[in-house]
Amino acid sequence: MNTKNTYNLYDELDDFDLDEKGHARHPHRNPKKLPRSEQEFLHKQDDSASGFKFTYKAARFESWWLLDSLGGFYEHQWISDVLRRVKGGKEASVYQCRAGTAILVGGLAAAKVYRPRMLRNLKNDAAYREGRTDLDDEGRHIIRDGDLHAMRKRTAYGEELRHTSWIAHEFTSLQALHDAGADVPEAYAMQKNAILMGYVGDGVGCAPTLSEVSLDRAEASALFERVLRNLDILLANRRVHGDLSAYNILYWEGDITLIDFPQVVDVDGNRNAFKIFERDVARVCEYFSRQGVRADARKLARDLWQAHGYQTRQEVDVRLLDADDPKDRAAWQTQERVR
Ligand SMILES: Nc1ncnc2c1ncn2[C@@H]1O[C@H](COP(=O)(O)OP(=O)(O)OP(=O)(O)O)[C@@H](O)[C@H]1O
Ligand SMILES: [Mg+2]
């Protein structure tokens, strides 16, 4: 079967309902009834299972998905086993893996596997993609006319390229930010549908997110400073997280780790960058104010932004504004007046 159709097939099969152990409760379609070419394709996936067998008991569709998404990590000895699914979501699932000899024998690694629908759910993706070059599965800029055309026309192949570009942005951001000393997982490898990175947590389960944790005042204050330090490193690397909140910060043994970077925004090329940054800062401040740390989010965002010499007067995208918020309405009116 044409690999272009792989995503569509998986997406259909993906409509299973997983129980807590990752088993399908109601697979909506019986693979025996699939057209012959699709059956052959899935059969091939089953064959490859002979090389890559993992401890995690995945449902059948999930198993195919994992073999396709993580097979390359296994072949290159980045991982030797998939131990458990630590988080299953609508857009991505994260698996605890045993690291292979290419990383750290006996250690753990986290594999984030994206679902095809991740792209479809990003309704507002243009606001994030502005000013950002699309990347291929090796992190290189996509410059071929045919590829650019396919992406513009949103053909199946173009959609696959766009899907991989989001993942490549997460991967390259993790690499750059880790090198710059930010508290993010180390990124080891990527495939067109998955990222392998440092695992935060222990053998039993992954670290909780900050949103699940209550901090005492002193610790909250220290961790707030730590988040600000990370925001500063991001800005120095000309990036805005784009979806930062207590849900995307892990907490483990007193330390924090920022995760979930596919929508990372380019400071230079994106007119919405400051607006998105302000929202990130506001969400972080909301969490910390509940932990007893007060801060003026708008001022903080402006100060951090300006400390890097960036302009706050950028044009904003109307899709990011809240019509019920008087400040957003005023910002839009000002922008319209200077046009
Ligand atoms: N490096 C990691 N180590 C340990 N656990 C992780 C790691 N990365 C992610 N996780 C776990 O997986 C969850 C989802 O990860 P992430 O936020 O990157 O994906 P997501 O796109 O937000 O997924 P969803 O939309 O399904 O929540 C995290 O909240 C955390 O529980
Ligand atoms: Mg997340």
Side-chain angles (χ1 to χ4, degrees):
M1 191 176 64
N2 189 333
T3 50
K4 281 181 205 170
N5 297 326
T6 317
Y7 280 132
N8 293 340
L9 174 59
Y10 276 136
D11 207 12
E12 283 176 43
L13 295 174
D14 203 22
D15 274 329
F16 56 80
D17 182 15
L18 293 175
D19 65 20
E20 311 69 47
K21 293 193 175 138
H23 299 149
R25 269 193 279 251
H26 308 291
H28 85 301
R29 205 172 152 190
N30 181 347
K32 288 208 179 77
K33 301 213 182 89
L34 289 171
R36 180 175 261 288
S37 62
E38 298 185 3
Q39 272 190 49
E40 278 168 10
F41 170 78
L42 292 177
H43 189 66
K44 261 200 352 241
Q45 304 302 300
D46 263 352
D47 283 345
S48 60
S50 53
F52 179 21
K53 287 206 171 72
F54 34 80
T55 304
Y56 169 59
K57 296 271 170 287
R60 189 150 51 140
F61 302 139
E62 191 186 14
S63 206
W64 287 321
W65 188 229
L66 287 180
L67 287 167
D68 191 49
S69 305
L70 304 182
F73 293 155
Y74 178 77
E75 275 163 34
H76 292 100
Q77 302 185 353
W78 289 101
I79 59 171
S80 61
D81 198 0
V82 181
L83 299 172
R84 67 185 81 205
R85 191 166 58 104
V86 290
K87 174 79 199 298
K90 288 243 174 297
E91 288 153 23
S93 292
V94 175
Y95 296 86
Q96 184 197 67
C97 301
R98 183 160 319 286
T101 48
I103 313 177
L104 178 68
V105 185
L108 295 172
K112 180 171 176 181
V113 183
Y114 298 79
R115 294 183 168 204
R117 65 187 50 165
M118 180 265 281
L119 188 61
R120 219 183 302 138
N121 292 348
L122 288 163
K123 293 193 188 65
N124 209 1
D125 70 341
Y128 295 90
R129 284 177 68 225
E130 185 180 279
R132 193 170 103 154
T133 323
D134 284 301
L135 304 175
D136 68 13
D137 57 356
E138 296 191 2
R140 289 177 308 220
H141 291 195
I142 295 178
I143 47 168
R144 277 191 49 228
D145 278 349
D147 292 348
L148 295 171
H149 183 73
M151 290 169 79
R152 263 197 313 275
K153 289 283 169 202
R154 294 192 166 240
T155 64
Y157 174 61
E159 290 296 90
E160 192 179 321
L161 289 175
R162 280 194 334 126
H163 176 90
T164 299
S165 176
W166 285 90
I167 298 163
H169 272 286
E170 171 149 41
F171 181 69
T172 51
S173 294
L174 287 176
Q175 278 186 322
L177 294 169
H178 189 266
D179 287 352
D183 298 310
V184 300
E186 182 173 0
Y188 299 125
M190 84 164 268
Q191 297 272 285
K192 64 183 163 85
N193 196 42
I195 285 179
L196 189 70
M197 62 185 140
Y199 177 82
V200 190
D202 60 18
V204 179
C206 67
T209 60
L210 261 189
S211 61
E212 300 169 80
V213 176
S214 283
L215 304 169
D216 68 40
R217 190 70 173 274
E219 189 176 20
S221 184
L223 290 185
F224 183 58
E225 288 305 316
R226 193 79 194 172
V227 175
L228 297 187
R229 176 182 169 272
N230 277 278
L231 288 174
D232 205 49
I233 297 176
L234 262 104
L235 288 181
N237 282 271
R238 317 194 84 76
R239 285 172 166 90
V240 173
H241 184 287
D243 189 21
L244 194 64
S245 73
Y247 293 94
N248 279 329
I249 302 177
L250 302 181
Y251 173 83
W252 189 248
E253 294 175 344
D255 287 328
I256 52 161
T257 306
L258 278 58
I259 56 164
D260 205 3
F261 284 82
Q263 68 294 308
V264 70
V265 167
D266 187 73
V267 162
D268 300 304
N270 193 316
R271 286 170 300 164
N272 312 303
F274 180 60
K275 190 85 200 156
I276 296 173
F277 180 68
E278 266 191 321
R279 193 187 54 193
D280 279 358
V281 175
R283 286 185 181 159
V284 165
C285 288
E286 265 166 39
Y287 168 78
F288 279 99
S289 81
R290 287 199 303 277
Q291 313 300 317
V293 181
R294 298 213 168 278
D296 177 345
R298 283 201 175 232
K299 179 172 181 325
L300 195 59
R302 208 171 42 245
D303 291 350
L304 279 164
W305 193 260
Q306 289 175 341
H308 288 272
Y310 303 143
Q311 297 295 317
T312 50
R313 279 273 306 272
Q314 294 175 304
E315 272 194 30
V316 290
D317 188 319
V318 69
R319 287 167 295 187
L320 287 169
L321 296 174
D322 177 359
D324 296 327
D325 181 338
K327 286 198 186 110
D328 276 5
R329 273 211 309 278
W332 179 246
Q333 280 156 2
T334 313
Q335 180 169 305
E336 288 300 281
R337 271 201 302 279
V338 288
R339 259 176 202 276

